[in-house]
Amino acid sequence: MAEETYPINIWINEERLEKLQAAGLASMTKEVLAGLKVIAVPNTADQRDKILKIFPVAKYDAATTRSIENMPRQIKDKIFDLIVKNKSLNVMDEFIKSVEK
Amino acid sequence: MEMIGHGGKEIIERVLAKDAALKRVEELKAAKVKTLDVRLQLATEILDIAYGFFSPLEGFMTKADVESVINNMTLADGKTVWSIPIVYDISSADLEKSGIKQYDEVLLTYTGNPFAIFDITDIFTLDTKEVAMKVYGTTEDKHPGVKRTYQYQDKFLGGKITLLNPPKINEPFTKFWLTPKQMRERFKEKGWEMIINHQTRNVPHTGHEWLMKGAYLGAYGSMMVDKPRGGILVNAMIGSKRPGDYIDEAIILCQEAQGKHGYFRDDIFLTTCTLWDMRYAGPKEAIFHACLRTNLGCTHHMFGRDHAGVGTYYDPYDAHRIFERLPKGSLNITPIFNLDWWFCPVCDEVTYMGLCGHKDKKASFSGTLIRSIIQDGVKPPRRIFRPEVFDMIMECAEKYGFGDAFVTEDYLKNRQPVFTIGPLK
Ligand SMILES: [Zn+2]
């Protein structure tokens, strides 16, 4: 079995897609469910635990999606903006640091 | 019109007309009968009993009924199938304080207003651990039905209920709450001979839509198509909520939206609700749903994967297999068993597990996945989720959910009640 990446799924609407395209990052998305696009932001087990602690509403869905769910939309927006800024999916350390303060 | 319900008996309706109710309340007050104020959980089931949703039950179960239900899956008569105890609990301290004894007639109030008469014929205790094990198959209090069972007070009262004061069903539920008799009248007006029940506590995605369409096509069979002779009843369970559930208002209005926007023809589709706190009893709850929907006048009932289940307590198809254990003819409703519907990128359509041969390519409609998309405020493709249903979710979030389509602490605390009991006058 492939190593788990405990992703946070950021679903892509037109607004987010435009930002990604402008930054040349449209290829970061993958298609699920009838053309719906998503960015799966990977986390290490350690990052996952920190996220769950910082956002008590969030939970890791081990049963079905194997992803971190229930993250508030505004928080996902912040993660998304970091991805666009850094042109990379490797943003969780920076993100966690910014919210831990 | 024929009003035969579950167990082959006439639908129970134990509701006094207003004049008679006013007179009875005066008499009860003059006789200084004891009163008990009931909580929402009990008030809900009093309404269900009084209007015949629980036919042939006429009141809260006696010990003999509960024991038979948990051990034999029948009422105390030994033949009427029943799978979930319907009980009235009270603490020893409250019982003592009230002075209530067996064979007392008690006036029940709700939110301080006269509500119902309770003819108490049995006062008893239960081993809640035994009840949990026999109904839910587990004694873990993580299971919401078990948790509810453990939260019962230590004494139980059994006996008949008579409703004095009908509920005011508040918006937006008003037009969706029909009593079993009213539902049957509605079916008759529509000319339906076949009524397929779809059980839900969800906002519908196209997986649900196709589940219903598949059941409709399958059950319609060789009936003439000159006019619609059958329809789908979406009967939403409206009751106690847990954080993270869809809010009740979104469930009922989004279900209705499927008919309003033509995904189902108006003349083959009806959305209603039943007031019921889900027990998540899986197979046992499936049997209960079958009894309940028989009372509503349905001829067929859909049972999907992991029907009324929770966590990993039940095998996904336990709720199908349990029907095989029932004696022939003990239920007057035909179960329709469903496998999963999924989206197949090869077939390029929503398709059925029993049909599509691209299992390794399937994209499943998990509730969690759909929720994740909705929480992001992202409108899914219309093949997955109907845009009108999505718009309705967003509208409900603003109008009823304090900005959220899912139950929050804020919603639990501040939502408008589904029904109220006013002064009797
Ligand atoms: Zn296929």
Side-chain angles (χ1 to χ4, degrees), chain B residues 109-133:
Chain B
T109 59
Y110 179 58
T111 54
N113 291 314
F115 185 38
I117 301 171
F118 191 9
D119 287 299
I120 295 167
T121 52
D122 197 10
I123 299 178
F124 57 100
T125 57
L126 287 171
D127 178 349
T128 50
K129 214 163 189 177
E130 184 195 3
V131 172
M133 193 62 212

Side-chain angles (χ1 to χ4, degrees), chain B residues 13 29 96 170 188 205 272 289 302 339 341 371:
Chain B
E13 206 166 86
K29 281 183 177 162
E96 199 170 315
N170 296 314
K188 198 179 168 199
H205 51 61
T272 65
H289 289 172
M302 295 160 55
L339 295 167
W341 289 72
R371 167 177 317 229

Side-chain angles (χ1 to χ4, degrees), chain A residues 9-13 16 33-36 61 64-65 69-70 73 76, chain B residues 343 363-364 366 368-369 371-373 375-378 380-381 383-384:
Chain A
N9 288 324
I10 300 185
W11 301 95
I12 304 303
N13 56 10
R16 283 175 176 167
L33 277 184
L36 181 63
D61 179 12
T64 50
T65 58
E69 292 301 335
N70 270 344
R73 196 194 304 181
K76 284 198 191 177
Chain B
F343 180 79
S364 287
S366 99
T368 329
L369 195 73
R371 167 177 317 229
S372 176
I373 301 165
Q375 275 178 330
D376 265 20
V378 171
R383 268 181 297 175
I384 295 303

